[in-house]
């Protein structure tokens, strides 16, 4: 499958992976928008948040289970932001579900 993030997961494209387990990989965003900016994603290829099936629930439960640990790894103890863009109108550019985890600065609201 011609998916950038599947290639990163399969080590066909280099990346700076900071956490990995059976279900999840976390690597540094190539264009960081904060001092700490990583992408958390399921190893299973799911294109968008609208493609999640009931049987995927465990994977997303797992992502939230590891979230505090990963947030701490990128300096999120004082606060962080978790973002998921769904479809191009919301800014999604890679169609393999990923959560942006950003930390290390103050964040405005509402987002742009
Ligand atoms: P989105 O626009 O929400 O789909 O997020 C895609 C993110 O992937 C962007 O923040 C990009 O900077 C990031 N990105 C694109 N290519 C790479 C890459 N090769 N390694 C790490 N991050 C990437
Ligand atoms: Zn993929």
């Amino acid at each position: 499958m011609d998916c950038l993030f599947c290639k990163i997961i399969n080590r066909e494209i280099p990346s700076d992976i900071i956490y990995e387990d059976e279900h999840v990989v976390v690597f540094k965003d190539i264009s960081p928008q904060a001092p700490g900016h990583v992408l958390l994603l399921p190893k299973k290829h799911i294109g968008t948040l609208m493609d999640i099936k009931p049987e995927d629930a465990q994977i997303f439960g797992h992502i939230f289970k590891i979230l505090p640990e990963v947030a701490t790894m990128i300096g999120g103890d004082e606060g962080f932001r978790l973002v998921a863009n769904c479809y191009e109108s919301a800014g999604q550019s890679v169609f393999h579900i990923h959560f942006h985890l950003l930390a290390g600065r103050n964040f405005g609201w509402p987002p742009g």
Side-chain angles (χ1 to χ4, degrees):
M1 186 188 299
D2 195 25
C3 169
L4 176 65
F5 287 174
C6 282
K7 287 179 180 163
I8 286 177
I9 291 163
N10 295 328
R11 308 300 205 272
E12 292 164 37
I13 291 177
S15 72
D16 197 344
I17 294 173
I18 67 157
Y19 176 93
E20 182 174 19
D21 63 32
E22 188 186 349
H23 297 296
V24 175
V25 67
V26 183
F27 54 86
K28 292 185 182 174
D29 196 294
I30 204 166
S31 176
Q33 302 302 311
H37 184 179
V38 294
L39 303 174
L40 286 85
L41 46 140
K43 286 186 170 175
K44 179 179 178 182
H45 180 90
I46 306 170
T48 79
L49 292 172
M50 293 296 274
D51 299 312
I52 295 172
K53 300 283 185 271
E55 59 266 29
D56 299 323
Q58 204 182 339
I59 295 173
F60 291 94
H62 183 72
I63 285 176
F64 284 99
K65 188 174 156 190
I66 64 148
L67 179 64
E69 180 186 342
V70 176
T72 299
M73 288 171 73
I74 68 159
D77 289 322
E78 301 294 315
F80 64 83
R81 180 161 291 174
L82 186 67
V83 177
N85 301 320
C86 183
Y87 296 159
E88 283 169 356
S89 61
Q92 185 173 8
S93 62
V94 180
F95 287 79
H96 178 135
I97 288 179
H98 51 281
F99 296 96
H100 296 258
L101 178 60
L102 303 116
R105 66 171 172 87
N106 292 328
F107 298 99
W109 193 264

